[in-house]
Amino acid sequence: MKELFDDVSFKCSKLVTKNYSTSFSLAVYMLSPSIRDAIYSIYGFVRFADEIVDTFHGYNKEDLITEFEEEYYKALERGISLNPILNSFQQTVKQYNISDDLVQAFLRSMKLDLIKSDYHSKEEYDAYIYGSADVVGLMCLKVFVAGDDKRYEQLKDEAMRLGSAFQKVNFLRDLKDDNLVLNRNYFPGVDLNSFDEKAKTQIINEIEEDFRVAYEGIVKLPIEAKFGVYTAFVYYKKLLKKLENTPCSEIGSSRIRVSNYSKAGLLAKSFVSYKLKLV
C-alpha cells in the first residue's frame, strides 16, 4: 500500500515543520488544505539539509549532506525513498515541476556553510541568499501557481524578495549563534564584534525594501496561498520591528523572539485584514 506510506511520509514532513518552526507551521495551516502537504514537504527537505550543516556537530557533516543529496536523487529516479522526508519531497518536485536548478542552488548554499564563514562582497552575500532562501520561495511559488507558468514568471521576483527578507531577518535574529557558535558572518562589511546602530539600520532598511517589493506579489497570489503567505509576512515584519527596537548589544548576546501570545494577536489581525480585502 504505497498510498499509506506516502501519507505517512507527508505527515512526517508536517511533524518536522511543527516541531522546528511554530510560526511557519501556523502560516502553512492558513494555506488551502489542497497545497499544505506540498509546502510541508518542501520545508522538511530544506530543514533537514539546514540541520545537517548547522547542528549535527560531532558528525561528519560533509558525508551527511552528500548522502542526503545522493538519496534525494535516488528517490527522484525511483519514485520512492525509505526516508519519508525525501519520499514526500520528490513527489512534490514531480507534481509541481520544480526545476532541478532550484534544488541544486539550495544545496550549494548549504554546502557553503561547511567551508565558508565570511561573506566579503555583496555578490557573495546575494548568491548565498539566492540559494538558501530565494529558491525556497520559488519552490513554494511553483506549488502556489499549480503549473501556471505565466503567473509564475509574473510573481517570481516578488517571491525571491520575500525569501530574501525572511532570510535576512533570520540572520539578524540569529546573530549570536552565527557569530559565537558557528563562527559565521553573512553581512559583508559588518564587524559583528563591534555591531552598532548604523550597521543595524542599514540592514533593516535593506530588509524593509525587500518586504515592500514582496508585498506587491502577495496581493497577486492565488486565493489558496494568499492568506498563509500574508500570515508569514506579518509575523516576520513584527520580528523585524522587535529587532529594530532592541539594542545592538542584546541582539548580539541573545535570540530575539515573538511570543506565542503576540503571534496569536498577529494572526487575528491578519485575518481581519484579509477578510476586509485589505490584502
Side-chain angles (χ1 to χ4, degrees), residues 26 227 230-231 234-239 258-272:
L26 179 64
F227 183 46
Y230 181 66
T231 299
V234 169
Y235 165 73
Y236 268 89
K237 286 276 285 184
K238 176 67 174 181
L239 180 55
V258 175
S259 69
N260 288 336
Y261 177 80
S262 294
K263 288 177 185 177
L266 290 171
L267 177 60
K269 183 179 178 181
S270 299
F271 183 71
V272 170

Side-chain angles (χ1 to χ4, degrees), residues 112-113 115-120 178 182-186:
L112 276 176
D113 279 336
I115 61 174
K116 192 171 179 62
S117 59
D118 290 288
Y119 289 77
H120 301 289
D178 283 342
L182 298 174
N183 191 33
R184 293 183 197 148
N185 179 14
Y186 294 105

